[in-house]
Amino acid sequence: MSDNKAEKIIDLTLCVLDLTATGGIPILSSIKETAKCIKDIPNEIFLIKLDRFIKAVTSNDEKDVLSFRKLYKKKYLNNDEVRLEHIKWLMIKIDSFNEEKKAEWMGILFKWYIEEKLEWKRFCIFVNALEFLLVQDVETLLTSNFEVSEYNTDLDLTQDYKQAKNGKIKKEDNATPLNLIEIDRGIYLRLLSVGLASISGATLSLVQMPDIIKVPLDKDLALMISILSNF
């Protein structure tokens, strides 16, 4: 990467992220503070991932840069300490990603956070999940088809037993639509490890678990897929 290109990436990052709380000129403080966190990988690789992140945040468009800066300023108004902490966290995560595509996805999610469509806690859950999932996992999920089934959310076996004992069974239809996803066992286990899947009857036994399993779509996973799919 040429020095000129690297300089442009850094300048754009400072222009987009490093505004003062009062809307003044860009400052270097947060980038300088995070510099000590990125010594473990070549700077060029870090800048490539940073470039993907910034382009996702701004859609690589000058008008979107201005629009994002306005929302960014409003988001952190009178919260400069929180802003700097968030920027440091973002830089550390970009550094930790083993593939640049993950930085792009984080940029999409961060834009949703700035636009008040996603709270910080859930944003962090999604980013932490992306860190440990494979890029191929996420790409597979983004192209997966969902099957709608019905699930009784108010199933009460104790009440059913009492009714059967008394010879009076009251039937109630409390079934609600439930999205099911059919995925590879490896993807499911990795989703389970990052909290984006739950254990079901089909997955209780690892030995007997089939290579392809059908499981309920976790609501957080559904939201993350929806956000990344619409970019």
Side-chain angles (χ1 to χ4, degrees), residues 13 28 55 57 83 106 110 138 140 152 160 188 190 192 198-199:
T13 302
L28 297 172
K55 286 179 178 177
V57 163
R83 180 181 64 85
M106 186 175 77
F110 185 65
V138 180
T140 297
N152 191 341
D160 288 349
Y188 166 75
R190 286 188 286 275
L192 190 64
S198 56
I199 296 176

Side-chain angles (χ1 to χ4, degrees), residues 22-39:
T22 55
I25 61 173
I27 58 175
L28 297 172
S29 60
S30 59
I31 298 298
K32 289 180 180 178
E33 286 179 39
T34 57
K36 57 189 175 185
C37 303
I38 60 174
K39 291 179 180 177

